[in-house]
Amino acid sequence: GQNIDQPTEMTATEGAIVQINCTYQTSGFNGLFWYQQHAGEAPTFLSYNVLDGLEEKGRFSSFLSRSKGYSYLLLKELQMKDSASYLCAVRVKANQAGTALIFGKGTTLSVSS
Amino acid sequence: DTAVSQTPKYLVTQMGNDKSIKCEQNLGHDTMYWYKQDSKKFLKIMFSYNNKELIINETVPNRFSPKSPDKAHLNLHINSLELGDSAVYFCASSHRQGVGYTFGSGTRLTVV
């Protein structure tokens, strides 16, 4: 089966740093993705890791350890607009023909002033 | 604008009705998907098409039937709607081995 775990909710204050963890147990692995979803909107792509290590992209960084089945998303210099759900997703081989993104249940981050 | 567009954005209908949601992408992607997001915000894959061919069909009631007339379009038809079908349905597209998906803005379906 496919299992992706992340905390349900997190809170932080403006200017702070927050780390959202994700652990996964999936049948196959073909990359790990982080998406941001504001309420009532579509998920938008944040980052992609396929090899172990840290990928940095402005205020956002994502880390992957394939041996541990573990990733985190690091958000620095938090802003109010970062209040959103953060979705961890693993791409798995669905069958001979294709792959699919399997999503965790998302972490709702609330940033306060 | 290059995007994934789906219509309608909102759909309110009675139990037992049949309805369709349309999706189109102009990104040149070869793979399209339907995801369902329930009230707990859990995004779950329903179907995937690659070049008009169904490649993923998760455990979805057969009242749901996807149709892909060409690789830029993937429509979702739902027969005999039930209360439990109320959710937000997202269309998405990608290159088959590409990085990440592009999602449409979602269709909020409410069955009353």
Side-chain angles (χ1 to χ4, degrees):
Chain A
Q2 320 285 19
N3 196 40
I4 301 173
D5 284 321
Q6 49 182 130
T8 306
E9 293 180 337
M10 296 184 74
T11 58
T13 52
E14 257 187 316
I17 299 173
V18 72
Q19 177 174 313
I20 303 174
N21 295 324
C22 171
T23 57
Y24 62 91
Q25 294 168 305
T26 56
S27 52
F29 177 85
N30 195 3
L32 188 138
F33 297 77
W34 284 94
Y35 279 80
Q36 180 190 61
Q37 186 177 25
H38 285 101
E41 297 182 11
T44 54
F45 171 76
L46 284 180
S47 70
Y48 167 66
N49 295 70
V50 68
L51 299 175
D52 290 354
L54 189 68
E55 293 284 340
E56 295 186 83
K57 211 176 183 182
R59 294 189 299 116
F60 293 4
S61 306
S62 57
F63 171 83
L64 174 66
S65 169
R66 288 171 296 169
S67 61
K68 294 181 180 176
Y70 169 69
S71 173
Y72 67 73
L73 179 70
L74 192 71
L75 295 79
K76 301 176 188 174
E77 300 168 18
L78 279 172
Q79 303 174 9
M80 298 292 284
K81 67 178 182 180
D82 297 329
S83 293
S85 284
Y86 291 85
L87 309 174
C88 174
V90 174
R91 184 164 60 191
V92 300
K93 194 169 173 65
N95 52 40
Q96 292 293 336
T99 60
L101 273 186
I102 307 299
F103 283 85
K105 294 188 178 180
T107 299
T108 300
L109 174 66
S110 300
V111 180
S112 58
S113 56
Chain B
D1 288 344
T2 53
V4 178
S5 55
Q6 52 182 112
T7 55
K9 191 168 175 64
Y10 299 96
L11 185 53
V12 181
T13 188
Q14 290 188 324
M15 271 197 310
N17 283 351
D18 303 338
K19 290 292 177 187
S20 291
I21 307 172
K22 294 185 176 182
C23 180
E24 175 182 3
Q25 56 94 6
N26 61 5
L27 298 163
H29 290 162
D30 56 9
T31 307
M32 295 184 73
Y33 312 83
W34 278 110
Y35 277 80
K36 178 180 179 181
Q37 189 169 44
D38 60 25
S39 57
K40 295 183 180 176
K41 310 298 183 192
F42 185 34
L43 258 179
K44 189 169 182 185
I45 190 165
M46 300 172 70
F47 301 104
S48 172
Y49 270 74
N50 176 260
N51 284 324
K52 303 194 299 176
E53 180 187 349
L54 179 66
I55 57 171
I56 294 171
N57 183 353
E58 290 297 299
T59 309
V60 176
N62 58 15
R63 297 182 295 103
F64 290 78
S65 52
K67 284 189 173 51
S68 182
D70 56 63
K71 72 175 188 177
H73 295 83
L74 180 61
N75 303 323
L76 183 65
H77 188 76
I78 316 169
N79 289 330
S80 304
L81 278 155
E82 300 178 357
L83 292 177
D85 297 332
S86 296
V88 181
Y89 292 84
F90 284 100
C91 177
S93 71
S94 73
H95 285 297
R96 190 164 172 168
Q97 292 297 329
V99 176
Y101 292 5
T102 301
F103 282 85
S105 56
T107 295
R108 181 173 294 276
L109 171 66
T110 304
V111 182
V112 297

